[in-house]
Amino acid sequence: MMDCKKALQESGGDMEEAIVWLRKKGMASADKKASRIAADGAIGQYIHAGSRLGVLVEVNCETDFVARGDKFKELVQNLAMQVAACIDVEYVSPDDVDPAMVEAEREVQMKMEDMLSKPENIRAKIVQGRLDKMVNEKALLKQDYIKDPSKTVDDLVKEISAELGEKISIRRFQKYNLGEGLEKKVDDFAAEVAAQTGQ
């Protein structure tokens, strides 16, 4: 109640501005909670129609009270669906990327034909931009949220964290694609018949 009153005072009585002020305050409080330990939570799953793709995602919060709440459960389910929808996603945050892979890719990018004609300092900036884009495309938190593309998954998590008053973090996820990694035997029925008939 006091926050609403303060928001209206800060915005000079403008309701729309007060709502924006309250949302910003909520995001700021979510950022303050980032240093807390979130050891409770839930594991959510999503199985796509046809049962050819499945996802498990672990989302953590601070208390079991929040973990049992409908808002948190909905978030976990939506995040599992998000992982299933994002084919290229490999890790939760850009911080989770393997530095050795980034350095190997940097070396390849620096030696590409289109880069060799550019000055060294400009080449380094272009390559860093390409690497940042590549890393962000594979990070779940940097993806546009499938149910509201005006915000990222990171924005969604911060928004729910501010609403529930606890730190929420996506710890890990795993995708399962039916038959992935298996070598399938390809039968050529016509060739098999021809071999048996001696033709």
Side-chain angles (χ1 to χ4, degrees):
M1 187 75 130
M2 294 303 293
D3 284 340
C4 293
K5 184 177 178 182
K6 187 172 181 179
L8 284 169
Q9 288 172 345
E10 292 285 328
S11 62
D14 183 0
M15 286 289 277
E16 293 299 318
E17 232 179 276
I19 291 169
V20 170
W21 186 88
L22 285 168
R23 289 188 71 206
K24 286 180 183 175
K25 183 179 187 289
M27 292 295 187
S29 68
D31 287 338
K32 288 178 190 175
K33 293 174 181 69
S35 63
R36 295 184 188 171
I37 295 173
D40 226 308
I43 295 175
Q45 54 88 22
Y46 174 79
I47 307 296
H48 192 64
S51 300
R52 300 188 65 76
L53 170 68
V55 171
L56 291 175
V57 63
E58 179 182 349
V59 183
N60 297 121
C61 60
E62 295 175 57
T63 64
D64 65 335
F65 176 75
V66 167
R68 289 188 312 246
D70 291 338
K71 193 76 172 172
F72 185 79
K73 287 178 182 177
E74 181 184 356
L75 172 67
V76 173
Q77 182 61 35
N78 287 337
L79 290 172
M81 193 182 318
Q82 177 80 32
V83 172
C86 297
I87 298 167
D88 296 331
V89 170
E90 295 179 10
Y91 35 82
V92 175
S93 165
D95 301 333
D96 298 337
V97 71
D98 179 16
M101 186 277 296
V102 173
E103 284 309 310
E105 185 62 28
R106 182 185 314 278
E107 286 181 28
V108 169
Q109 290 281 337
M110 289 294 272
K111 294 176 182 169
M112 290 179 83
E113 260 185 60
D114 66 332
M115 299 302 285
L116 294 175
S117 63
K118 296 184 176 24
E120 183 69 30
N121 61 337
I122 293 174
R123 194 174 1 162
K125 289 178 183 177
I126 292 172
V127 167
Q128 187 59 49
R130 287 180 180 177
L131 290 173
D132 290 346
K133 181 181 178 195
M134 180 189 77
V135 167
N136 288 338
E137 285 175 348
K138 295 182 179 192
L140 177 62
L141 290 176
K142 297 296 183 180
Q143 302 301 308
D144 290 338
Y145 179 46
I146 57 173
K147 291 189 172 183
D148 182 1
S150 68
K151 57 185 165 188
T152 65
V153 173
D154 192 35
D155 294 339
L156 172 72
V157 171
K158 285 182 180 177
E159 189 177 294
I160 302 297
S161 179
E163 192 175 317
L164 297 176
E166 283 197 8
K167 176 185 177 182
I168 295 174
S169 61
I170 305 169
R171 182 159 182 257
R172 58 187 166 176
F173 64 84
Q174 183 67 48
K175 286 191 217 181
Y176 297 95
N177 289 301
L178 186 65
E180 184 176 54
L182 296 176
E183 195 173 312
K184 295 180 182 177
K185 182 179 176 186
V186 179
D187 291 330
D188 185 355
F189 185 69
E192 192 177 315
V193 171
Q196 288 179 0
T197 60
Q199 294 180 353

